[in-house]
Amino acid sequence: MTTTYYTLGNSGLRVSRLALGTMTFGTEWGWGTEKATARALFDAYVEAGGNFFDTADAYTGGTSETWLGEFIAERGLRDRAVISTKFTMNLEGPEPNSGGNGRKNIMRALDGSLKRLGTDYVDLYILHCWDRLTPPEEVMRTLDDLVRAGKVRHVGLSDVPAWYASRAQAVAEFRGYEPVSALQLEYSLAERNIEHEFVPFGTRHGAGIMVWSPLASGLLSGKYRSGDAGKASGRLETVRGTANPGFQKFNDRNWAIVAELEQVSATLGKSMAQVALNWVATQPGVASTIIGATRLEQLKDNLGALDFEIPAELRLRLDAASRPATPFPYSFFGPEIQGGITGGAAVGDKPAGYYPDLLMRGTFAGVS
Ligand SMILES: NC(=O)c1ccc[n+]([C@@H]2O[C@H](COP(=O)([O-])OP(=O)(O)OC[C@H]3O[C@@H](n4cnc5c(N)ncnc54)[C@H](OP(=O)(O)O)[C@@H]3O)[C@@H](O)[C@H]2O)c1
């Protein structure tokens, strides 16, 4: 791994550009790993210079947090490790205040995570998913209380509407709360819808994007092929037929993206997984890309994803094959309508670095 670190959003927290996802730590969900493999994945990531670990209270019924905490302790890495975990999901059954984003559940959930992780603070505490109820004022005030209590260092949001993230950041800014430093969102060549709202929001308002499912759950490794149902083994075969929207990847649009990615990767002499990861990790607004694996050879392949550049002409081909639709109101922000606003005068986008106080790409030289 190229061990450069980006600051997370507008914070001073330095994180590896490739984070280690631990949703595959544990076999409870049917597509994860045994403990020995999880430890080998952890060791390989640390030995490659990585410092950023993503988990959640809900992953594999708590096993992910428990093993991650153990592995960090075994190697004496607590000071060096940046631990990101999440709350929202209900692990207790039909008990309304044991899930969601209300103050009562956030405080309960954090205590559980700290116990499982075997630590007294987390570096990044993330709301996992909008619960459609709790106002951002309550969430941001509670998270700020936890920062002041020393249990949390930085805060983030995952899987929320952009209006909610924007309101939360404005509340934090004007009330002096700890701001949102991270937006954890699905992003890949197969899922680019965050480009409409979250990329401009994050880059203007100091929140770095943490990419989840950068390989679209393994689709972009090229192991699944149109019409070959049941032939490949992997998560997307295991979950075939389930309703989770994150797993619905087999469609004509995605097969066309996979085909273009295969050609570009062959031209570059790199694996499809490496090219897909490189593409997303170098998109505007991305602070860190969370890589996941079930096997050591997958992780080693993925750790090489930043060791090369995709030439502009090949990048254009990937961009074109994967471009998302432009629904209203975004259709009004292209040259056809915008030309009418400027009266035809050439008014370019702001140059890179125009927002110097909110620079998300503060890198510092490799520490290994
Ligand atoms: N906030 C959220 O809502 C949210 C949601 C999802 C994930 N996440 C986070 O993001 C992390 C990464 O997400 P993800 O696991 O979905 O990422 P992903 O990169 O899209 O998928 C990873 C899976 O793809 C397969 N794979 C990975 N590298 C490969 C390679 N080189 N060759 C062939 N197959 C390969 C493996 O599954 P198989 O071996 O089974 O094929 C692996 O477990 C998670 O661990 C979690 O921390 C967050």
Side-chain angles (χ1 to χ4, degrees):
M1 169 160 60
T2 307
T3 41
T4 50
Y5 299 78
Y6 281 177
T7 48
L8 189 64
N10 205 27
S11 80
L13 184 69
R14 279 102 177 203
V15 296
S16 313
R17 294 178 61 201
L18 298 178
L20 182 65
T22 63
M23 192 172 71
T24 49
F25 283 17
T27 53
E28 289 83 348
W29 287 354
W31 37 265
T33 66
E34 302 285 351
K35 194 168 189 178
T37 306
R39 185 184 273 110
L41 296 171
F42 175 88
D43 286 344
Y45 175 76
V46 168
E47 282 153 23
N51 77 344
F52 197 16
F53 304 91
D54 186 66
T55 183
D57 59 355
Y59 289 171
T60 52
T63 299
S64 171
E65 284 187 331
T66 305
W67 290 0
L68 177 62
E70 273 178 48
F71 299 160
I72 288 172
E74 279 168 13
R75 292 184 70 128
L77 288 176
R78 182 63 195 94
D79 283 346
R80 191 176 152 200
V82 176
I83 301 178
S84 149
T85 192
K86 320 185 193 78
F87 61 91
T88 298
M89 300 305 174
N90 189 326
L91 306 178
E92 310 291 326
E95 171 48 58
N97 285 312
S98 294
N101 302 326
R103 170 179 290 253
K104 184 170 168 68
N105 186 52
I106 296 178
M107 313 267 281
R108 183 203 65 82
L110 180 62
D111 286 342
S113 288
L114 294 177
K115 262 193 214 118
R116 282 185 293 275
L117 286 161
T119 183
D120 53 8
Y121 73 98
V122 296
D123 299 279
L124 178 63
Y125 202 35
I126 300 181
L127 178 155
H128 205 152
C129 185
W130 186 37
D131 64 4
R132 297 164 40 112
L133 288 172
T134 315
E137 290 79 355
E138 180 173 339
V139 171
M140 297 310 289
R141 169 64 203 266
T142 306
L143 292 176
D144 189 63
D145 286 347
L146 295 174
V147 171
R148 285 169 200 251
K151 293 182 173 192
V152 166
R153 300 288 184 261
H154 300 276
V155 309
L157 301 172
S158 173
D159 308 346
V160 296
W163 65 260
Y164 188 94
S166 179
R167 171 81 184 154
Q169 193 68 309
V171 166
E173 184 179 348
F174 291 112
R175 294 190 179 171
Y177 299 159
E178 180 63 28
V180 176
S181 295
L183 298 168
Q184 190 172 125
L185 299 160
E186 182 174 6
Y187 193 24
S188 71
L189 281 164
E191 175 51 75
R192 292 180 54 184
N193 285 314
I194 70 162
E195 291 175 18
H196 293 309
E197 293 277 358
F198 289 97
V199 172
F201 165 67
T203 49
R204 282 169 173 75
H205 297 288
I209 291 169
M210 286 175 76
V211 170
W212 66 256
S213 283
L215 296 179
S217 287
L219 178 89
L220 298 172
S221 71
K223 73 174 118 188
Y224 306 98
R225 293 300 158 141
S226 170
D228 276 2
K231 289 199 181 148
S233 66
R235 183 191 308 171
L236 287 177
E237 278 299 346
T238 311
V239 301
R240 214 181 245 276
T242 63
N244 183 327
F247 293 149
Q248 311 311 312
K249 302 299 184 198
F250 296 151
N251 56 56
D252 288 346
R253 179 178 180 276
N254 282 350
W255 295 130
I257 293 168
V258 167
E260 191 69 0
L261 174 62
E262 182 172 27
Q263 287 186 17
V264 167
S265 304
T267 308
L268 276 167
K270 299 288 176 187
S271 73
M272 290 170 66
Q274 286 185 339
V275 175
L277 291 170
N278 184 303
W279 179 88
V280 79
T282 53
Q283 282 291 99
V286 172
S288 189
T289 298
I290 316 173
I291 52 175
T294 58
R295 296 213 302 271
L296 192 55
E297 36 314 351
Q298 293 174 348
L299 187 74
K300 288 188 171 162
D301 183 26
N302 299 350
L303 287 171
L306 299 182
D307 298 345
F308 62 98
E309 277 185 30
I310 303 175
E313 68 278 12
L314 295 180
R315 194 170 187 102
L316 282 176
R317 282 175 55 183
L318 294 173
D319 287 346
S322 61
R323 184 161 293 127
T326 311
F328 178 82
Y330 314 108
S331 53
F332 269 47
F333 309 146
E336 302 80 6
I337 302 289
Q338 294 292 308
I341 295 174
T342 62
V347 181
D349 274 349
K350 296 180 177 69
Y354 182 85
Y355 303 101
D357 54 331
L358 296 180
L359 266 190
M360 309 191 46
R361 296 232 159 160
T363 60
F364 67 98
V367 178
S368 54

PDB file of all heavy atoms in Angstrom, residues 3-25:
ATOM      1  N   THR A   3       1.680   4.319   1.518  1.00  0.00           N
ATOM      2  CA  THR A   3       1.251   4.796   2.836  1.00  0.00           C
ATOM      3  C   THR A   3       1.224   6.313   2.915  1.00  0.00           C
ATOM      4  O   THR A   3       2.005   6.927   3.624  1.00  0.00           O
ATOM      5  CB  THR A   3       2.138   4.213   3.941  1.00  0.00           C
ATOM      6  OG1 THR A   3       3.476   4.234   3.489  1.00  0.00           O
ATOM      7  CG2 THR A   3       1.704   2.825   4.314  1.00  0.00           C
ATOM      8  N   THR A   4       0.353   6.906   2.119  1.00  0.00           N
ATOM      9  CA  THR A   4       0.054   8.311   2.357  1.00  0.00           C
ATOM     10  C   THR A   4      -1.223   8.354   3.196  1.00  0.00           C
ATOM     11  O   THR A   4      -2.041   7.445   3.149  1.00  0.00           O
ATOM     12  CB  THR A   4      -0.193   9.090   1.048  1.00  0.00           C
ATOM     13  OG1 THR A   4      -1.134   8.383   0.271  1.00  0.00           O
ATOM     14  CG2 THR A   4       1.087   9.314   0.286  1.00  0.00           C
ATOM     15  N   TYR A   5      -1.362   9.402   3.954  1.00  0.00           N
ATOM     16  CA  TYR A   5      -2.511   9.558   4.832  1.00  0.00           C
ATOM     17  C   TYR A   5      -3.205  10.858   4.454  1.00  0.00           C
ATOM     18  O   TYR A   5      -2.556  11.855   4.177  1.00  0.00           O
ATOM     19  CB  TYR A   5      -2.064   9.627   6.293  1.00  0.00           C
ATOM     20  CG  TYR A   5      -1.343   8.380   6.751  1.00  0.00           C
ATOM     21  CD1 TYR A   5      -0.019   8.158   6.400  1.00  0.00           C
ATOM     22  CD2 TYR A   5      -1.992   7.426   7.523  1.00  0.00           C
ATOM     23  CE1 TYR A   5       0.638   7.012   6.808  1.00  0.00           C
ATOM     24  CE2 TYR A   5      -1.341   6.278   7.943  1.00  0.00           C
ATOM     25  CZ  TYR A   5      -0.016   6.074   7.576  1.00  0.00           C
ATOM     26  OH  TYR A   5       0.622   4.942   7.986  1.00  0.00           O
ATOM     27  N   TYR A   6      -4.502  10.846   4.439  1.00  0.00           N
ATOM     28  CA  TYR A   6      -5.269  12.074   4.248  1.00  0.00           C
ATOM     29  C   TYR A   6      -5.843  12.490   5.591  1.00  0.00           C
ATOM     30  O   TYR A   6      -6.164  11.629   6.423  1.00  0.00           O
ATOM     31  CB  TYR A   6      -6.439  11.837   3.283  1.00  0.00           C
ATOM     32  CG  TYR A   6      -6.086  11.825   1.815  1.00  0.00           C
ATOM     33  CD1 TYR A   6      -7.073  11.557   0.873  1.00  0.00           C
ATOM     34  CD2 TYR A   6      -4.800  12.087   1.357  1.00  0.00           C
ATOM     35  CE1 TYR A   6      -6.780  11.539  -0.485  1.00  0.00           C
ATOM     36  CE2 TYR A   6      -4.507  12.071   0.011  1.00  0.00           C
ATOM     37  CZ  TYR A   6      -5.495  11.789  -0.910  1.00  0.00           C
ATOM     38  OH  TYR A   6      -5.213  11.778  -2.249  1.00  0.00           O
ATOM     39  N   THR A   7      -6.009  13.797   5.758  1.00  0.00           N
ATOM     40  CA  THR A   7      -6.757  14.223   6.938  1.00  0.00           C
ATOM     41  C   THR A   7      -8.240  13.950   6.655  1.00  0.00           C
ATOM     42  O   THR A   7      -8.711  14.114   5.534  1.00  0.00           O
ATOM     43  CB  THR A   7      -6.529  15.717   7.224  1.00  0.00           C
ATOM     44  OG1 THR A   7      -6.697  16.453   6.031  1.00  0.00           O
ATOM     45  CG2 THR A   7      -5.127  15.950   7.775  1.00  0.00           C
ATOM     46  N   LEU A   8      -8.951  13.528   7.691  1.00  0.00           N
ATOM     47  CA  LEU A   8     -10.350  13.162   7.501  1.00  0.00           C
ATOM     48  C   LEU A   8     -11.209  14.415   7.507  1.00  0.00           C
ATOM     49  O   LEU A   8     -11.365  15.077   8.542  1.00  0.00           O
ATOM     50  CB  LEU A   8     -10.794  12.207   8.608  1.00  0.00           C
ATOM     51  CG  LEU A   8     -12.174  11.578   8.409  1.00  0.00           C
ATOM     52  CD1 LEU A   8     -12.207  10.695   7.171  1.00  0.00           C
ATOM     53  CD2 LEU A   8     -12.570  10.770   9.638  1.00  0.00           C
ATOM     54  N   GLY A   9     -11.744  14.763   6.324  1.00  0.00           N
ATOM     55  CA  GLY A   9     -12.534  15.982   6.215  1.00  0.00           C
ATOM     56  C   GLY A   9     -11.711  17.168   6.660  1.00  0.00           C
ATOM     57  O   GLY A   9     -10.546  17.309   6.321  1.00  0.00           O
ATOM     58  N   ASN A  10     -12.339  18.014   7.468  1.00  0.00           N
ATOM     59  CA  ASN A  10     -11.643  19.212   7.920  1.00  0.00           C
ATOM     60  C   ASN A  10     -11.005  19.003   9.287  1.00  0.00           C
ATOM     61  O   ASN A  10     -10.627  19.959   9.949  1.00  0.00           O
ATOM     62  CB  ASN A  10     -12.641  20.378   7.993  1.00  0.00           C
ATOM     63  CG  ASN A  10     -11.950  21.717   7.864  1.00  0.00           C
ATOM     64  OD1 ASN A  10     -10.887  21.820   7.259  1.00  0.00           O
ATOM     65  ND2 ASN A  10     -12.535  22.741   8.467  1.00  0.00           N
ATOM     66  N   SER A  11     -10.920  17.750   9.730  1.00  0.00           N
ATOM     67  CA  SER A  11     -10.335  17.452  11.048  1.00  0.00           C
ATOM     68  C   SER A  11      -8.828  17.291  10.927  1.00  0.00           C
ATOM     69  O   SER A  11      -8.271  17.285   9.832  1.00  0.00           O
ATOM     70  CB  SER A  11     -10.941  16.159  11.610  1.00  0.00           C
ATOM     71  OG  SER A  11     -10.315  15.028  11.011  1.00  0.00           O
ATOM     72  N   GLY A  12      -8.175  17.108  12.051  1.00  0.00           N
ATOM     73  CA  GLY A  12      -6.727  16.859  12.053  1.00  0.00           C
ATOM     74  C   GLY A  12      -6.393  15.385  12.146  1.00  0.00           C
ATOM     75  O   GLY A  12      -5.240  15.021  12.377  1.00  0.00           O
ATOM     76  N   LEU A  13      -7.390  14.520  11.971  1.00  0.00           N
ATOM     77  CA  LEU A  13      -7.172  13.074  12.100  1.00  0.00           C
ATOM     78  C   LEU A  13      -6.595  12.522  10.798  1.00  0.00           C
ATOM     79  O   LEU A  13      -7.215  12.666   9.744  1.00  0.00           O
ATOM     80  CB  LEU A  13      -8.509  12.388  12.411  1.00  0.00           C
ATOM     81  CG  LEU A  13      -8.440  10.885  12.667  1.00  0.00           C
ATOM     82  CD1 LEU A  13      -7.719  10.592  13.986  1.00  0.00           C
ATOM     83  CD2 LEU A  13      -9.850  10.283  12.691  1.00  0.00           C
ATOM     84  N   ARG A  14      -5.435  11.885  10.876  1.00  0.00           N
ATOM     85  CA  ARG A  14      -4.793  11.337   9.676  1.00  0.00           C
ATOM     86  C   ARG A  14      -5.177   9.878   9.495  1.00  0.00           C
ATOM     87  O   ARG A  14      -4.949   9.068  10.391  1.00  0.00           O
ATOM     88  CB  ARG A  14      -3.272  11.446   9.786  1.00  0.00           C
ATOM     89  CG  ARG A  14      -2.745  12.807   9.438  1.00  0.00           C
ATOM     90  CD  ARG A  14      -2.414  13.599  10.653  1.00  0.00           C
ATOM     91  NE  ARG A  14      -1.844  14.892  10.275  1.00  0.00           N
ATOM     92  CZ  ARG A  14      -1.076  15.597  11.091  1.00  0.00           C
ATOM     93  NH1 ARG A  14      -0.814  15.179  12.315  1.00  0.00           N
ATOM     94  NH2 ARG A  14      -0.595  16.752  10.677  1.00  0.00           N
ATOM     95  N   VAL A  15      -5.728   9.579   8.334  1.00  0.00           N
ATOM     96  CA  VAL A  15      -6.200   8.216   8.073  1.00  0.00           C
ATOM     97  C   VAL A  15      -5.609   7.680   6.769  1.00  0.00           C
ATOM     98  O   VAL A  15      -5.399   8.424   5.812  1.00  0.00           O
ATOM     99  CB  VAL A  15      -7.750   8.156   7.995  1.00  0.00           C
ATOM    100  CG1 VAL A  15      -8.369   8.531   9.341  1.00  0.00           C
ATOM    101  CG2 VAL A  15      -8.302   9.044   6.888  1.00  0.00           C
ATOM    102  N   SER A  16      -5.365   6.366   6.741  1.00  0.00           N
ATOM    103  CA  SER A  16      -4.878   5.731   5.513  1.00  0.00           C
ATOM    104  C   SER A  16      -5.917   5.883   4.421  1.00  0.00           C
ATOM    105  O   SER A  16      -7.115   5.808   4.687  1.00  0.00           O
ATOM    106  CB  SER A  16      -4.681   4.230   5.702  1.00  0.00           C
ATOM    107  OG  SER A  16      -4.012   3.954   6.865  1.00  0.00           O
ATOM    108  N   ARG A  17      -5.443   6.018   3.199  1.00  0.00           N
ATOM    109  CA  ARG A  17      -6.380   6.158   2.074  1.00  0.00           C
ATOM    110  C   ARG A  17      -7.125   4.864   1.801  1.00  0.00           C
ATOM    111  O   ARG A  17      -8.161   4.868   1.152  1.00  0.00           O
ATOM    112  CB  ARG A  17      -5.625   6.627   0.839  1.00  0.00           C
ATOM    113  CG  ARG A  17      -5.070   8.037   1.035  1.00  0.00           C
ATOM    114  CD  ARG A  17      -4.284   8.465  -0.171  1.00  0.00           C
ATOM    115  NE  ARG A  17      -5.117   8.481  -1.354  1.00  0.00           N
ATOM    116  CZ  ARG A  17      -4.650   8.429  -2.585  1.00  0.00           C
ATOM    117  NH1 ARG A  17      -3.341   8.362  -2.802  1.00  0.00           N
ATOM    118  NH2 ARG A  17      -5.476   8.460  -3.616  1.00  0.00           N
ATOM    119  N   LEU A  18      -6.583   3.743   2.263  1.00  0.00           N
ATOM    120  CA  LEU A  18      -7.329   2.485   2.244  1.00  0.00           C
ATOM    121  C   LEU A  18      -7.585   2.089   3.689  1.00  0.00           C
ATOM    122  O   LEU A  18      -6.636   1.912   4.465  1.00  0.00           O
ATOM    123  CB  LEU A  18      -6.532   1.380   1.536  1.00  0.00           C
ATOM    124  CG  LEU A  18      -6.208   1.623   0.063  1.00  0.00           C
ATOM    125  CD1 LEU A  18      -5.379   0.470  -0.505  1.00  0.00           C
ATOM    126  CD2 LEU A  18      -7.477   1.810  -0.778  1.00  0.00           C
ATOM    127  N   ALA A  19      -8.860   2.020   4.059  1.00  0.00           N
ATOM    128  CA  ALA A  19      -9.227   1.576   5.417  1.00  0.00           C
ATOM    129  C   ALA A  19      -9.532   0.086   5.359  1.00  0.00           C
ATOM    130  O   ALA A  19      -9.883  -0.450   4.296  1.00  0.00           O
ATOM    131  CB  ALA A  19     -10.451   2.349   5.893  1.00  0.00           C
ATOM    132  N   LEU A  20      -9.419  -0.602   6.502  1.00  0.00           N
ATOM    133  CA  LEU A  20      -9.762  -2.027   6.532  1.00  0.00           C
ATOM    134  C   LEU A  20     -11.191  -2.198   7.026  1.00  0.00           C
ATOM    135  O   LEU A  20     -11.506  -1.855   8.171  1.00  0.00           O
ATOM    136  CB  LEU A  20      -8.800  -2.806   7.445  1.00  0.00           C
ATOM    137  CG  LEU A  20      -9.076  -4.315   7.482  1.00  0.00           C
ATOM    138  CD1 LEU A  20      -8.820  -4.966   6.114  1.00  0.00           C
ATOM    139  CD2 LEU A  20      -8.235  -5.009   8.552  1.00  0.00           C
ATOM    140  N   GLY A  21     -12.042  -2.728   6.167  1.00  0.00           N
ATOM    141  CA  GLY A  21     -13.417  -3.033   6.546  1.00  0.00           C
ATOM    142  C   GLY A  21     -13.459  -4.376   7.267  1.00  0.00           C
ATOM    143  O   GLY A  21     -12.820  -5.339   6.830  1.00  0.00           O
ATOM    144  N   THR A  22     -14.225  -4.458   8.357  1.00  0.00           N
ATOM    145  CA  THR A  22     -14.248  -5.687   9.149  1.00  0.00           C
ATOM    146  C   THR A  22     -15.641  -6.310   9.210  1.00  0.00           C
ATOM    147  O   THR A  22     -15.932  -7.090  10.094  1.00  0.00           O
ATOM    148  CB  THR A  22     -13.731  -5.410  10.578  1.00  0.00           C
ATOM    149  OG1 THR A  22     -14.637  -4.486  11.200  1.00  0.00           O
ATOM    150  CG2 THR A  22     -12.337  -4.817  10.575  1.00  0.00           C
ATOM    151  N   MET A  23     -16.480  -5.950   8.254  1.00  0.00           N
ATOM    152  CA  MET A  23     -17.825  -6.535   8.176  1.00  0.00           C
ATOM    153  C   MET A  23     -17.754  -8.035   7.872  1.00  0.00           C
ATOM    154  O   MET A  23     -18.712  -8.758   8.088  1.00  0.00           O
ATOM    155  CB  MET A  23     -18.587  -5.799   7.073  1.00  0.00           C
ATOM    156  CG  MET A  23     -20.062  -6.036   7.004  1.00  0.00           C
ATOM    157  SD  MET A  23     -20.836  -4.925   5.798  1.00  0.00           S
ATOM    158  CE  MET A  23     -20.248  -5.587   4.250  1.00  0.00           C
ATOM    159  N   THR A  24     -16.595  -8.479   7.339  1.00  0.00           N
ATOM    160  CA  THR A  24     -16.417  -9.909   7.032  1.00  0.00           C
ATOM    161  C   THR A  24     -15.776 -10.661   8.201  1.00  0.00           C
ATOM    162  O   THR A  24     -15.477 -11.844   8.061  1.00  0.00           O
ATOM    163  CB  THR A  24     -15.513 -10.086   5.793  1.00  0.00           C
ATOM    164  OG1 THR A  24     -14.336  -9.291   5.968  1.00  0.00           O
ATOM    165  CG2 THR A  24     -16.224  -9.698   4.519  1.00  0.00           C
ATOM    166  N   PHE A  25     -15.552  -9.987   9.342  1.00  0.00           N
ATOM    167  CA  PHE A  25     -14.946 -10.682  10.490  1.00  0.00           C
ATOM    168  C   PHE A  25     -16.047 -11.443  11.225  1.00  0.00           C
ATOM    169  O   PHE A  25     -16.850 -10.858  11.960  1.00  0.00           O
ATOM    170  CB  PHE A  25     -14.289  -9.684  11.439  1.00  0.00           C
ATOM    171  CG  PHE A  25     -12.948  -9.156  10.986  1.00  0.00           C
ATOM    172  CD1 PHE A  25     -12.525  -9.268   9.680  1.00  0.00           C
ATOM    173  CD2 PHE A  25     -12.096  -8.537  11.899  1.00  0.00           C
ATOM    174  CE1 PHE A  25     -11.289  -8.771   9.269  1.00  0.00           C
ATOM    175  CE2 PHE A  25     -10.862  -8.045  11.503  1.00  0.00           C
ATOM    176  CZ  PHE A  25     -10.454  -8.161  10.192  1.00  0.00           C
TER     177      PHE A  25
END
